[in-house]
Amino acid sequence: MSSSNQTALEVAQMQLDAAASYLQLDPRIHSILKEPKRVLEVAIPVKMDDGSIKIFKGYRSQHCDAVGPTKGGIRFHPAVTMDEVKALSIWMTFKCGVIGLPYGGGKGGVVCNPQELSQNELERLSRGYIRAIAQFVGADKDIPAPDVNTNPQIIAWMSDEYNNIKGHNEPGMITGKPISIGGSLGRTAATGRGVAFATREAAGKLGMALENATAVIQGFGNVGSYAARILADMGCKIIAVSDVYGGICNRDGLNLEQLTLHLKDTGSVVGFPGTTALTNQELLETKCDILVPCALENQITAANAPAINCRIVTEGANGPTTPEADAILKQRGILVIPDILANAGGVTVSYFEWVQNLSNFYWTEKEVNERLEALMVRAFAEVWDMYQKHDVDMRMAAYMVSINRIAEAAKAKGWVTITG
Ligand code: NAD
């Protein structure tokens, strides 16, 4: 979501400004939303395997708690900065708001390179981070989750550390846990499933039948592979997919079961029998009905947007389309389903995990998927209505739905009422 000459925080604030202007948002609420309510910077001492002590810098940003506690992932990466964590927390507010989850946005990060740490060092760092922020998080305060380079094992260590500090089990303090300690069924497939639901709703609005509609998926990891499988179950023909090593295409449709076996055997989709090879650039420009970028940010740019050859772009990845490309696609009549709506299935099922933890009653995978579908369908309809009422693209419409909700809550709480 960032562009080269602006910081991520500036981009997030500009998006807020634009949505506020379309909504004629009360300037007092606008000013509250511009900065996170609370940002922590912590120094985490970690005993390294060689006996030395290394200090790692960590952050946690809590943007806005108007509608409920804050929620968002923890990123372990050498490039983490306070500014980036603040921006990511604002985007989490937008994402939770568009689905109507009872959360504001939060985000955390630790400046580290997990590839350079042993498992023991990683465990000590994960536990140390939670000790440093323990007084500021909790099931009704701020609920972390996995993000870049953090996984269910790391989350399990964090959950255990928090429980040790508090002296009782509080599984709802963090989501993305393994199933054995309160994780939710359906979480692994949730983002890809949400991508498929959003695509289906968009196709319906455009009068496009999904039966035999052609789809191209960039990135065949967690999000892309489930999105492909579920879109295929809905009747789509998946004609091309790619990973970091390159792309493959067969216009008659790919056999996804066989492809998954090939990926397991070889570590890549490349070389799957019966397909022609494509570069990732060629893949993005392949003629199709639905293009689903599920890899990295900044893939559809001003350079290739004129050559994108589809009717719908569903953003499985975060920030795959640059603002310049957005404008070109809009002008070419290509509908973009924005990331904060299209890939919100993950945070939605994280919310379900928290609900199950708080009630100590666990749902079947079918129940999880049905509830996910209901929330995605409702959110899509609300964004579509906003899109129809204003001269904006779907991305701006999604921000507007979200900010409206937060503004209403802030007003109801009296945050901008002058009393006495
Ligand atoms: P992943 O690591 O499981 O998969 C990423 C895929 O992209 C892999 O197939 C990888 O080979 C491919 N890839 C990497 N670099 C590439 C390149 N240069 N060109 C083409 N393909 C490339 O990651 P994921 O969890 O599926 O996440 C994908 C995107 O979705 C990210 O932007 C992530 O932030 C976003 N996202 C993920 C979730 C989630 O629940 N996993 C939720 C919301 C958003």
Side-chain angles (χ1 to χ4, degrees):
M1 289 196 211
S2 60
S3 90
S4 51
N5 46 2
Q6 287 154 329
T7 66
L9 183 59
E10 284 166 349
V11 173
Q13 287 171 333
M14 279 168 51
Q15 289 164 337
L16 171 68
D17 293 347
S21 150
Y22 282 115
L23 287 169
Q24 296 179 317
L25 185 67
D26 183 322
R28 296 166 301 177
I29 292 180
H30 184 181
S31 62
I32 292 173
L33 295 179
K34 272 205 113 144
E35 285 287 336
K37 177 171 177 164
R38 178 194 275 155
V39 186
L40 290 176
E41 177 179 320
V42 296
I44 311 155
V46 175
K47 280 185 195 150
M48 306 302 280
D49 292 346
D50 65 4
S52 65
I53 296 275
K54 195 166 170 188
I55 310 294
F56 291 86
K57 194 156 265 190
Y59 304 101
R60 184 76 195 166
S61 170
Q62 300 167 348
H63 174 237
C64 173
D65 60 357
V67 298
T70 48
K71 173 123 195 59
I74 298 165
R75 171 172 294 205
F76 281 5
H77 197 277
V80 163
T81 63
M82 183 188 274
D83 239 36
E84 182 195 56
V85 170
K86 283 164 98 173
L88 291 166
S89 71
I90 295 177
W91 284 320
M92 278 306 294
T93 295
F94 290 159
K95 192 178 285 195
C96 294
V98 79
I99 303 295
L101 305 180
Y103 294 138
K107 204 78 179 190
V110 176
V111 187
C112 68
N113 183 352
Q115 273 84 48
E116 290 172 358
L117 299 174
S118 70
Q119 277 298 101
N120 284 332
E121 289 166 343
L122 195 57
E123 175 173 354
R124 290 195 286 269
L125 176 61
S126 306
R127 290 181 182 275
Y129 176 67
I130 285 302
R131 279 197 301 279
I133 66 167
Q135 304 312 318
F136 304 94
V137 293
D140 53 7
K141 256 190 217 173
D142 179 25
I143 306 128
D147 192 70
V148 175
N149 289 332
T150 48
N151 56 29
Q153 176 59 76
I154 290 176
I155 297 301
W157 289 327
M158 291 180 170
S159 173
D160 184 55
E161 189 65 26
Y162 187 80
N163 293 342
N164 291 341
I165 293 166
K166 294 288 163 178
H168 62 255
N169 264 309
E170 192 181 315
M173 161 270 166
I174 198 163
T175 63
K177 298 177 293 295
I179 303 287
S180 59
I181 58 167
S184 179
L185 295 172
R187 172 62 186 90
T188 312
T191 305
R193 190 174 295 281
V195 165
F197 289 142
T199 307
R200 184 193 68 193
E201 295 306 293
K205 295 290 184 195
L206 298 186
M208 178 202 291
L210 278 190
E211 197 60 44
N212 286 326
T214 50
V216 167
I217 319 272
Q218 186 196 33
F220 204 66
N222 174 271
V223 179
S225 65
Y226 281 106
R229 241 175 278 173
I230 297 159
L231 281 170
D233 288 346
M234 290 176 177
C236 287
K237 208 196 283 181
I238 312 298
I239 59 166
V241 305
S242 67
D243 59 27
V244 66
Y245 305 105
I248 53 166
C249 179
N250 179 343
R251 294 207 67 89
D252 293 333
L254 300 166
N255 179 327
L256 296 177
E257 271 175 33
Q258 296 292 327
L259 176 61
T260 305
L261 292 177
H262 173 82
L263 175 62
K264 253 195 197 135
D265 286 347
T266 67
S268 172
V269 298
V270 172
F272 182 52
T275 60
T276 48
L278 294 174
T279 64
N280 262 292
Q281 207 43 246
E282 289 165 340
L283 175 119
L284 291 172
E285 296 170 12
T286 300
K287 179 174 166 48
C288 61
D289 296 309
I290 302 155
L291 175 63
V292 194
C294 297
L296 305 173
E297 62 279 7
N298 298 335
Q299 294 301 294
I300 305 177
T301 64
N304 64 5
I308 299 293
N309 202 347
C310 65
R311 291 176 66 192
I312 298 173
V313 173
T314 312
E315 294 186 332
N318 282 320
T321 314
T322 66
E324 298 79 16
D326 247 348
I328 297 169
L329 296 180
K330 178 168 190 264
Q331 187 243 329
R332 294 187 57 222
I334 296 172
L335 184 74
V336 177
I337 313 174
D339 46 10
I340 62 162
L341 171 62
N343 71 28
V347 70
T348 303
V349 174
S350 288
Y351 161 61
F352 294 162
E353 178 177 335
W354 177 78
V355 170
Q356 292 170 81
N357 295 153
L358 293 188
S359 61
N360 267 312
F361 181 75
Y362 288 83
W363 309 347
T364 63
E365 191 164 349
K366 185 165 174 282
E367 287 170 314
V368 169
N369 293 344
E370 284 169 359
R371 288 176 164 129
L372 171 62
E373 179 169 12
L375 291 199
M376 290 295 301
V377 167
R378 182 185 72 182
F380 186 94
E382 286 174 346
V383 174
W384 185 266
D385 279 354
M386 187 68 86
Y387 168 65
Q388 295 293 302
K389 280 189 199 128
H390 298 264
D391 182 26
V392 294
D393 58 15
M394 285 282 280
R395 191 180 316 280
M396 187 52 62
Y399 294 144
M400 290 161 73
V401 165
S402 195
I403 290 162
N404 250 350
R405 245 188 205 117
I406 299 153
E408 210 175 302
K411 270 190 202 145
K413 284 182 163 177
W415 286 6
V416 292
T417 315
I418 297 157
T419 51

